[in-house]
Amino acid sequence: GNQDGTEYIELDHLYIHNVGGGIRTAKNNDLLDTGIVWSGHQFYIHDNYINTTTNEGMYIGTTDSHGSFPIYDVRVYNNKLVNMGYDGIQIRQAHTTVQVHDNYIDGTGRDPCKNGTIDNTAGFNIAKGTDTGDWYDNTVGGARTAVYFENAANVRVYNNLLIDSGHATSGLSGPDCPAGVTSTPPEGAVKFNGATNAKVFNNTIVNPSVSASYGVTVKS
């Protein structure tokens, strides 16, 4: 966690490879656990290459279980991520301007069984507390779920190319996967889980049935 409340940062033209997590910013777990309530502004992440992680490629924002930590003005663009252990790019508790565009993600969920269950496997995880933003002109290939909405609202996903997505239903591998774990039901290229006013349009979904049978799934 960023205990000093870092904000107004720009991360660009970095080559990050063979690490646990690629880029983690505004993830102030330690700060929030002290009872301090704080918000952060301006996180610009662009033109980076992240190759092979154990965890997420980018984890932007703080898990809501640690409290309210809103972030404002998040821009993630022109990044290349290859072979991610968990999600490619996860964004939480983001408000006002959120723009995620022209990113290339190839392979997520290499270790899909975090904590013994299938989780954290998306190309883009548009996560809890995010209530605005545009995800566009991105390419996601080989993700177990290309775009996953989890209790996000008022976001738009458009003009993206989503290729070869879908959870495997058997034979999952990874250091955290117990023997015989399966995905039931399989997830497709786009999954909604508690999303409100989320708009998905003008995307191209190619071969969404690597092992799954759905292009889009909605969890009620």
Side-chain angles (χ1 to χ4, degrees), residues 207-220:
N207 191 25
S209 306
V210 174
S211 294
S213 55
Y214 309 107
V216 178
T217 59
V218 179
K219 183 178 180 180
S220 58

Side-chain angles (χ1 to χ4, degrees), residues 32-104:
L32 289 169
D33 286 343
T34 67
I36 296 173
V37 178
W38 189 77
S39 61
H41 300 81
Q42 194 171 304
F43 300 91
Y44 296 172
I45 303 173
H46 62 92
D47 295 286
N48 301 292
Y49 177 28
I50 302 175
N51 186 353
T52 308
T53 66
T54 305
N55 303 321
E56 291 86 359
M58 297 184 188
Y59 194 123
I60 304 168
T62 298
T63 305
D64 61 346
S65 60
H66 288 272
S68 177
F69 177 72
I71 55 178
Y72 304 90
D73 193 5
V74 177
R75 306 182 193 220
V76 181
Y77 58 94
N78 289 348
N79 298 287
K80 181 179 180 180
L81 293 83
V82 177
N83 195 25
M84 301 295 99
Y86 296 165
D87 295 327
I89 299 174
Q90 179 177 153
I91 298 178
R92 292 178 170 271
Q93 300 197 52
H95 310 284
T96 62
T97 302
V98 180
Q99 294 184 353
V100 183
H101 63 89
D102 294 287
N103 299 287
Y104 174 84

